[in-house]
Amino acid sequence: MVSVTRTVFGELPSGGGAVEKFQLRSDQLNVDIISWGCTITALQVKDRQGKASDVVLGFAELEGYLQKQPYFGAVVGRVANRIAKGRFTVDGKEYHLPINREPNSLHGGFRGFDKVLWTPQVLSNGVQFSRVSPDGEEGYPGELKVWVTYTLDGGELVVNYRAQASQTTPVNLTNHSYFNLAGQGSPDIYDHEVTIAADAYLPVDETLIPTGVIAPVEGTAFDLRKPVELGKHLQSYHIHGFDHNFCLKESKEKKFCARVHHAASGRILEVYTTQPGVQFYTGNFLDGTLKGKSGEVYPKHSGFCLETQNWPDAVNQIWDILSSHWHGPQTLLQTLGQRHTPYGCLYSRDGW
């Protein structure tokens, strides 16, 4: 049994409208989502003793989400992740995007989907948000109608994305929640055990753009196919963290993607997806300057993200497969009623 309640979370400045909060409740999970950026602001989960803690980073009040902050809990788009040098070509025309993370465009630009007010509709077991992204918004071609639906079923939170374009345009949507299964406000995630079901990953250059190579994980720090304790793993390989796309096997159906276990609390997060990739990010750019819920600060490695999505900069990439054992997305994927190209993320009006 799921209950859904609706309240006002805050008012946008200059008469921009009311931001509403939707509380989804089951016997296992309590989830708070606001209409600003379709943002998950709280996720209460019980530990093995039955004590509930909030396991996502964020803010208690709207003002926190209106300041410059690293996309806590939000849906990002029109294109999640980075587009190299903020440009791409579709149907022979080159498009230029805002450069909001030098020298690239990140998560949709200066005013992406995380920084707009969405229209909500309450469902029996969740909430659906919708908006129309106008032609030319943040430099992207075509009008795009978007729906993001959150539903709760026991201990399972499902996020469903749907988009319809008036012309060919790149689209890549994901949720950018930062998790700490020890409870938000815990200083780090080093005692979390991480598993990612990927045989390959995308190496990146110094600006975090994929190099065009699909590399096998075997024998590298990126081999997370068996559980690793994150802190010890980072130390043993002398790396500062992860911010990489892991390549998932092709599937038209929802498939296992990742598992994170926090032994001290007994909490487990499992991720399933229909998408071809997941960006594993360990909060490398968190620096303790932001004050979150209960006045807690968020230092480096105090949260992790598992952003299921299409591959980064896919609209510009031609992939070089290094391993003959890797079987990645090779054909069109029909995912959530949307049309995906195997190496890009172009949505066309054809076939709608």
Side-chain angles (χ1 to χ4, degrees), residues 266-286:
R267 296 188 181 96
I268 297 172
L269 171 66
E270 288 189 344
V271 180
Y272 295 80
T273 185
T274 56
Q275 293 286 61
V278 59
Q279 187 85 4
F280 179 41
Y281 174 52
T282 50
N284 311 328
F285 295 109
L286 298 176

Side-chain angles (χ1 to χ4, degrees), residues 192-265:
H192 288 49
E193 293 181 352
V194 179
T195 307
I196 297 180
D199 295 329
Y201 77 104
L202 302 183
V204 295
D205 64 19
E206 66 277 3
T207 71
L208 299 179
I209 292 293
T211 62
V213 169
I214 301 174
V217 300
E218 188 169 355
T220 74
F222 300 89
D223 192 349
L224 307 179
R225 292 173 294 181
K226 294 181 180 179
V228 301
E229 188 172 318
L230 188 58
K232 293 178 180 178
H233 188 75
L234 296 179
Q235 282 187 334
S236 64
Y237 281 94
H238 306 288
I239 57 176
H240 299 293
F242 290 96
D243 194 1
H244 296 78
N245 178 83
F246 287 76
C247 307
L248 307 176
K249 288 184 172 63
E250 177 187 358
S251 174
K252 295 180 181 180
E253 304 299 325
K254 183 171 63 177
K255 58 186 175 294
F256 174 73
C257 166
R259 184 179 191 266
V260 182
H261 177 218
H262 183 247
S265 67

Side-chain angles (χ1 to χ4, degrees), residues 58-226:
F59 306 99
E61 298 179 346
L62 177 60
E63 288 72 21
Y65 293 100
L66 301 181
Q67 66 181 322
K68 184 179 180 180
Q69 50 91 10
Y71 308 95
F72 284 142
V75 165
V76 291
R78 185 178 295 198
V79 173
N81 220 306
R82 291 166 175 82
I83 292 182
K85 300 179 181 178
R87 59 178 184 247
F88 62 89
T89 299
V90 171
D91 294 337
K93 181 178 179 179
E94 185 171 82
Y95 292 88
H96 295 265
L97 310 174
I99 304 300
N100 61 326
R101 185 64 63 88
E102 288 283 352
N104 307 311
S105 184
L106 176 68
H107 292 330
F110 287 109
R111 190 172 182 267
F113 288 3
D114 60 299
K115 298 179 181 67
V116 294
L117 190 63
W118 293 64
T119 300
Q121 179 183 349
V122 174
L123 308 175
S124 61
N125 61 340
V127 59
Q128 181 180 84
F129 298 99
S130 63
R131 74 175 300 258
V132 177
S133 174
D135 182 16
E137 183 175 56
E138 293 296 301
Y140 288 96
E143 180 185 271
L144 188 75
K145 297 177 181 178
V146 190
W147 298 263
V148 178
T149 306
Y150 293 91
T151 54
L152 186 60
D153 181 8
E156 182 177 83
L157 177 65
V158 178
V159 189
N160 183 286
Y161 309 92
R162 186 163 69 94
Q164 183 176 0
S166 64
Q167 68 184 77
T168 303
T169 185
V171 179
N172 189 21
L173 306 176
T174 194
N175 180 276
H176 210 296
S177 288
Y178 290 71
F179 297 92
N180 187 318
L181 300 186
Q184 79 87 31
S186 298
D188 60 62
I189 50 173
Y190 298 141
D191 59 351
H192 288 49
E193 293 181 352
V194 179
T195 307
I196 297 180
D199 295 329
Y201 77 104
L202 302 183
V204 295
D205 64 19
E206 66 277 3
T207 71
L208 299 179
I209 292 293
T211 62
V213 169
I214 301 174
V217 300
E218 188 169 355
T220 74
F222 300 89
D223 192 349
L224 307 179
R225 292 173 294 181
K226 294 181 180 179

